Amino acid sequence: MKKRISFFIHHQGRGHARRAMAIIARFSPDRPVTVMTADPTLFDGFERNIELVTLPNMIGAEVATPALYEAAITPSVMHCVPLGVAEMRRTMRLILDHLDDSETGLFVSDVSAEMVLLARIASVPAVKVRMHGDRNDPGHRAAYECCVGMLAPFDERLEQEDYPDWARAKTCYTGGLCTSDEAVKDKRAARKKLGLPEDQEIIVVLTGGGGAGTPYAPLTVAARAVPRSRMIVIGPVHKEGHETDFANLEEHGWVSNVTDYLTASDIVLASAGDNTVHEIAKIGRPYICAPEWRYFGEQTRKAQCLARLEAAIHLETWPGDIHTWQTVFASARELDIANLQRLYSPNADQIAASWLEETTDRLWSDETALETVLSTAQADD
């Protein structure tokens, strides 16, 4: 029987869960799989047979006493380890019990450095899913060292120049992994489906669910900068109450057919979320990348890498005037979209799944027994 692969999936946003489902769906049918997460509803409707372990929600959990709160100085090798939090203790116990009871062959953390350290202490091989950011701190370096390998769901060309060579050597780069599987239509068909004109420049603003929402005010200035274009916002926005609406700026809110909107666009303005980057690369549109705040500067560092490759315009700050927005849009129209398209890989999910299964099987194979079997077979011949 094949060894189990168990995932810890962070439940902030949807990206970690969607990536896990894309990879797990490519596993061999007889591979036992467990997903441990604080929000199992993220996996509702997933057709592949998996075991789900519900973890306590540690976000916002209270520390037991003021004294414990004051004593919780974070050690340099960790990032978030408050003292006296019952939900954290229960989470660790549930994970350890599962790893022990199931004799898990490989533990995949998407994402948490501390979980990788826990697995290594428990003598379970672990893989950490890579993310961009300023992660040369002792905690991340310790996690990288503890891993039997790292999984980078992006093209190696998008790697940061300060990522150490020893860590790069144990990293599997899958190419750009896009979790959206909708068929890509041509622009005309997509516009017809959405009821959009064929001859007007369409700028799609794609926002995500992992943060507070894209600020709406600068988008109103952008709309004024391109009065003949049509700006369509899909996803949440953050409003302060003083904004003025313009006829060429439309809010469509959450939509289930993001691919249609991206295909219908001439320019896309979006954050630097992992799947967002690869959705746009898959379609192939001029990309204005406005990174959102994330821990360790994750999206900012990714936007810098995209700009270095001339695959996107890095919007370092939200422009507050018409002229700057006009310059940004003009620069986007001059981008060679091939630079971005090269970062998407249609079989990245399969590459990730194969590497995880091969790593598990290699680590747990009994080569001595295999050699004995082969020798016996050759002698019989």
Side-chain angles (χ1 to χ4, degrees), residues 13-326:
R14 298 175 174 82
H16 304 294
R18 291 174 64 183
R19 177 162 55 214
M21 286 187 280
I23 294 171
I24 293 169
R26 297 293 186 178
F27 281 162
S28 304
D30 57 345
R31 174 70 64 182
V33 180
T34 297
V35 170
M36 294 175 279
T37 179
D39 186 2
T41 65
L42 291 169
F43 291 83
D44 285 352
F46 186 40
E47 295 180 356
R48 212 275 194 185
N49 182 35
I50 60 172
E51 176 191 24
L52 269 172
V53 175
T54 303
L55 302 175
N57 186 355
M58 296 186 291
I59 297 178
E62 294 184 358
V63 174
T65 68
L68 285 167
Y69 182 80
E70 293 175 3
I73 298 174
T74 304
S76 62
V77 77
M78 295 181 181
H79 301 129
C80 185
V81 283
L83 295 173
V85 177
E87 289 83 355
M88 181 167 286
R89 183 173 63 251
R90 293 180 192 128
T91 294
M92 303 308 164
R93 184 176 71 245
L94 282 168
I95 292 174
L96 285 174
D97 284 347
H98 165 73
L99 295 177
D100 190 24
D101 294 343
S102 67
E103 296 186 358
T104 287
L106 190 69
F107 177 71
V108 183
S109 177
D110 190 355
V111 289
S112 169
E114 283 85 357
M115 296 303 179
V116 170
L117 300 179
L118 179 73
R120 182 56 189 264
I121 292 170
S123 195
V124 177
V127 163
K128 189 178 188 306
V129 177
R130 281 287 319 292
M131 300 179 77
H132 286 77
D134 297 313
R135 303 179 192 270
N136 286 323
D137 59 278
H140 279 105
R141 290 182 69 90
Y144 295 165
E145 290 173 0
C146 285
C147 285
V148 296
M150 263 88 72
L151 182 67
F154 50 84
D155 193 289
E156 188 170 5
R157 286 169 287 197
L158 199 58
E159 183 60 272
Q160 295 173 200
E161 294 177 345
D162 59 352
Y163 185 55
D165 290 340
W166 62 264
R168 188 186 291 253
K170 60 194 290 190
T171 299
C172 170
Y173 295 92
T174 67
L177 198 162
C178 179
T179 62
S180 300
D181 57 4
E182 294 91 346
V184 178
K185 308 177 181 66
D186 61 43
K187 184 184 293 186
R188 177 178 296 181
R191 290 195 176 193
K192 182 178 181 180
K193 179 178 178 179
L194 296 173
L196 299 174
E198 292 185 13
D199 57 352
Q200 185 179 23
E201 182 178 68
I202 304 292
I203 300 170
V204 169
V205 181
L206 172 62
T207 71
T214 297
Y216 187 66
L219 299 182
T220 65
V221 182
R224 291 170 62 193
V226 284
R228 293 182 177 83
S229 302
R230 190 166 179 172
M231 292 187 64
I232 300 174
V233 184
I234 54 176
V237 293
H238 175 69
K239 295 184 178 181
E240 300 179 26
H242 54 72
E243 298 87 352
T244 300
D245 289 323
F246 293 91
N248 66 327
L249 179 59
E250 305 173 8
E251 291 183 74
H252 289 203
W254 287 112
V255 299
S256 59
N257 54 336
V258 172
T259 300
D260 289 330
Y261 281 86
L262 296 180
T263 306
S265 71
D266 293 297
I267 297 173
V268 178
L269 193 163
S271 70
D274 281 336
N275 194 57
T276 296
V277 170
H278 297 129
E279 280 185 302
I280 302 168
K282 177 182 178 181
I283 303 297
R285 294 292 184 272
Y287 177 18
I288 301 170
C289 183
E292 295 182 0
W293 185 93
R294 289 293 185 273
Y295 291 101
F296 304 102
E298 173 210 334
Q299 291 203 10
T300 299
R301 293 302 307 272
K302 195 187 310 173
Q304 292 170 350
C305 292
L306 287 165
R308 169 174 51 83
L309 297 173
E310 297 183 354
I313 302 297
H314 177 196
L315 198 66
E316 298 185 35
T317 59
W318 289 101
D321 63 278
I322 291 175
H323 174 71
T324 303
W325 270 116
Q326 289 173 336

